[in-house]
Amino acid sequence: MRYFVGFACVVVVLVASPLSASAQAGEEGTAAEPSAEQSVQSTQPTRSRLERWHPEAFVDPALQLGVDSAGLEVTPTGPLTAEELQRQEEEAAARKRRVGIGVGVSVALVLAALLAGFVVAVGSM
């Protein structure tokens, strides 16, 4: 029984920890020099992290978009139909249900840990 508190702490840490983790390039303690595998000079221009993660957000200078003689028309969308409103309400209800389950499980784990701590504290007196 005396190891239960330690076990509960380990379980809580494991439940609260992220499923995956990765190191960031350029963290403190990492070597600033390029490795032997990396070339010192690249043929491509230096790209920012945003450009590497979202290349579709940056326009290729070789591509030029133009408007033809017909012009550009923007048609506004109409009001939502009954089916769309019902679907949105169902999605909102499902979201609330998932939030409720998450909060309930979290509260139950905290209460179980507090109860276990109380039982151990009372038992050691």
Side-chain angles (χ1 to χ4, degrees), residues 31-76:
E33 299 88 4
S35 66
E37 298 170 358
Q38 297 174 339
S39 64
V40 175
Q41 292 182 341
S42 174
T43 58
Q44 295 180 348
T46 305
R47 293 172 44 183
S48 68
R49 182 182 304 174
L50 183 62
E51 281 183 283
R52 288 191 306 264
W53 287 353
H54 301 288
E56 70 277 359
F58 295 89
V59 179
D60 185 6
L63 294 176
Q64 294 295 325
L65 300 177
V67 179
D68 60 358
S69 62
L72 180 64
E73 280 187 38
V74 177
T75 56

Side-chain angles (χ1 to χ4, degrees), residues 88-99:
Q88 285 182 352
E89 289 174 1
E90 290 171 357
E91 289 174 356
R95 189 177 315 117
K96 286 180 183 178
R97 187 171 43 252
R98 287 191 304 266
V99 167

